[in-house]
Amino acid sequence: MVGYVDGLCEPVNPGGTATYGYVIRNDAGRDVARKYGVVGKGPGMSNNVAEYAALSEALRFLISAKMTRLPIEIRSDSRLLVNQMKGEWKFHKGLYAQKYRDAKALATQFDRVKFRWIPREENKEADALSREAYGGEVSDGN
């Protein structure tokens, strides 16, 4: 299984509207899940909050679908997320502290989960989903 995750915070970062998107594909390349949503708005929101929300939502889906024993590779264009989840970079502080802790806790439920950084161009679908969530939120006038 491969999961692509992405998040954004617009029109300002930090402090805007944070949204996420993810796509999960099986080994045959078929979509198993595609989801997007709004994390929140205002001073507690940032790109990193949104990135970690995307990861946590994808991991929760995999857990609920009973896929924790399968080899999973999570791909993201966020170097911070990938390197922190791999343990190569330490977490110090930030708005995303709780989302980081949530993601770390969820990841412990998997037998084999890897994290891989990919260039933004390879993460277009998850990016488009996070933008769709943002577009829907803005057009709703919320």
Side-chain angles (χ1 to χ4, degrees):
M1 291 287 189
V2 177
Y4 295 86
V5 299
D6 201 19
L8 61 81
C9 185
E10 292 191 357
V12 293
N13 177 50
T17 298
T19 62
Y20 70 89
Y22 70 80
V23 177
I24 297 172
R25 292 210 170 93
N26 64 19
D27 293 340
R30 289 196 186 89
D31 288 0
V32 173
R34 299 174 71 82
K35 188 174 177 194
Y36 60 87
V38 176
V39 182
K41 297 181 213 179
M45 297 297 115
S46 70
N47 281 342
N48 293 331
V49 169
E51 296 281 357
Y52 271 103
L55 172 60
S56 294
E57 290 295 326
L59 293 176
R60 280 189 193 96
F61 168 80
L62 291 163
I63 291 165
S64 71
K66 306 202 180 323
M67 297 183 189
T68 57
R69 294 189 179 272
L70 299 174
I72 307 290
E73 181 173 277
I74 301 293
R75 298 177 184 173
S76 171
D77 57 28
S78 168
R79 288 185 192 277
L80 178 85
L81 180 143
V82 169
N83 289 324
Q84 284 182 335
M85 291 303 293
K86 288 167 78 172
E88 294 174 2
W89 292 2
K90 289 189 181 352
F91 170 80
H92 296 288
K93 62 181 180 170
L95 294 173
Y96 66 101
Q98 189 57 52
K99 295 289 184 197
Y100 165 79
R101 286 192 284 273
D102 292 347
K104 288 297 268 187
L106 290 166
T108 64
Q109 297 183 46
F110 290 82
D111 291 351
R112 295 173 284 171
V113 62
K114 297 190 310 188
F115 299 91
R116 190 172 98 175
W117 178 83
I118 57 173
R120 185 169 300 219
E121 304 78 56
E122 293 179 29
N123 207 24
K124 285 182 178 168
E125 287 180 83
D127 176 69
L129 288 170
S130 65
R131 291 186 185 286
E132 189 171 337
Y134 178 74
E137 186 68 9
V138 171
S139 67
D140 286 349
N142 295 332

